[in-house]
Amino acid sequence: MENARLDIVEQIQRLIVRLVATNPAGQGLCLIGGFRYRFLDGGVRRSLDVDYHWDGDLTEKQAQLVQLFRRRLIPGVRRQWGYDGSAGAATGPDAESPSVRVVNLAFWREGLTYSRIELPVDVTRIVCLDKPVVRTVDGVVYRTASDADMVEGKIVALFARTRMEHRDLVDIFLFANNLAPDSAQRVRKKLAMLMIENAFVRDRLADFVIHRVYHVRVIDEVVVGQLDALAVGSIQVAGGGAAVLDAVLGTLRNTLKLDEEQRK
């Protein structure tokens, strides 16, 4: 039952990104985040939202997407899967951040218990040092951030988020091979641009060691709950969340030299 529900979520996500990529309201938006990895790179982690990078007015773009989804997405989902739906701008805490605007999508089947699906679409702004790139799927052109900006963005997010998301660690583990030869300098530049202090980076790096048991447990939860079954089995055989954490810490220390930078 849960797998069937996740399959529908992913099909709706595919419909969303295709609609955005082929509609004037989506012009200039760059697909980023976990679903970008899933959709364009064949990533093994399922994502439960859709993320876009936008350089312009976030509130204006949020309003455009709300109208697009009400006009085109909701009827399309109803036709294909029999789900009713709603789309609206997030309110409350989700509306207070200056760096993100959220469109809340919800879908449900009347009379079917536990059928409700909630799927946020985030319009945000990440630091990109490269020009956007385009990728194609089934003849549709998708605008996205470069591979280097994507994985560097996941690394920066470890230190930029007030509340760390362990899915970022899993994505870094999966896509660390996309780091550029000069990513060490690029990541430090991005941290400086966001005014993330060295002391905060140092403390968060230390926290991975001090609270290792906690981080390993939550990474294991992400692996089991969000990755495809074959990938889960392989990671568990190789050491599970502990192996993922050690690999990411190795990337942060040995490739990016972040721990050395923080000692200066």
Side-chain angles (χ1 to χ4, degrees):
M1 183 69 176
E2 181 62 19
N3 286 339
R5 182 178 177 278
L6 289 174
D7 287 341
I8 291 175
V9 170
E10 190 158 305
Q11 290 304 311
I12 295 174
Q13 288 173 310
R14 289 175 176 269
L15 191 59
I16 290 168
V17 298
R18 183 181 182 92
L19 180 62
V20 170
T22 57
N23 190 278
Q27 185 173 7
L29 285 173
C30 288
L31 181 62
I32 59 171
F35 188 69
R36 186 271 203 184
Y37 279 138
R38 179 75 170 177
F39 180 61
L40 295 180
D41 302 279
V44 297
R45 185 177 75 81
R46 291 179 183 263
S47 177
L48 300 178
D49 57 11
V50 177
D51 299 295
Y52 285 98
H53 164 71
W54 175 241
D55 282 325
D57 186 293
L58 297 176
T59 302
E60 180 182 7
K61 184 56 65 178
Q62 177 193 45
Q64 292 174 358
L65 290 179
V66 168
Q67 292 304 312
L68 173 64
F69 295 152
R70 288 175 176 173
R71 189 176 71 253
R72 298 282 302 279
L73 178 68
I74 303 301
V77 171
R78 185 181 299 115
R79 283 194 305 270
Q80 292 194 44
W81 296 286
Y83 280 73
D84 290 315
S86 66
T91 58
D94 288 337
E96 294 174 1
S97 171
S99 60
V100 63
R101 289 292 180 270
V102 181
V103 177
N104 282 334
L105 296 172
F107 305 93
W108 63 89
R109 273 184 166 173
E110 293 293 345
L112 184 60
T113 307
Y114 305 121
S115 66
R116 185 177 177 87
I117 293 169
E118 296 184 352
L119 207 169
V121 176
D122 295 350
V123 185
T124 187
R125 189 174 292 121
I126 65 172
V127 179
C128 293
L129 299 182
D130 301 327
K131 293 181 179 179
V133 298
V134 294
R135 304 273 291 276
T136 60
V137 178
D138 295 330
V140 176
V141 177
Y142 295 89
R143 183 183 177 113
T144 184
S146 72
D147 288 344
D149 274 326
M150 279 287 299
V151 70
E152 290 166 5
K154 288 288 184 178
I155 291 166
V156 170
L158 292 179
F159 309 102
R161 297 188 197 270
T162 303
R163 180 178 180 275
M164 193 181 65
E165 297 288 352
H166 288 75
R167 65 176 182 264
D168 292 330
L169 289 163
V170 174
D171 284 341
I172 295 166
F173 171 75
L174 293 171
F175 292 99
N177 61 294
N178 287 338
L179 287 167
D182 60 343
S183 279
Q185 293 77 22
R186 287 164 56 99
V187 168
R188 287 195 286 272
K189 180 176 181 179
K190 292 179 180 184
L191 292 171
M193 291 171 68
L194 293 172
M195 294 184 290
I196 298 173
E197 297 180 356
N198 286 349
F200 186 82
V201 176
R202 181 178 62 248
D203 290 346
R204 183 144 286 183
L205 286 171
D207 188 78
F208 289 128
V209 177
I210 297 169
H211 299 108
R212 176 181 174 84
V213 173
Y214 163 75
H215 292 296
V216 168
R217 176 175 60 80
V218 182
I219 292 170
D220 276 326
E221 291 173 358
V222 173
V223 168
V224 172
Q226 299 184 24
L227 268 60
D228 293 340
L230 288 176
V232 173
S234 296
I235 290 174
Q236 288 177 334
V237 168
V244 172
L245 180 60
D246 289 341
V248 173
L249 288 178
T251 296
L252 299 178
R253 292 168 174 162
N254 303 327
T255 304
L256 301 178
K257 311 294 185 185
L258 282 184
D259 58 337
E260 293 182 8
E261 185 70 12
Q262 306 321 308
R263 295 193 196 107
K264 294 179 181 179

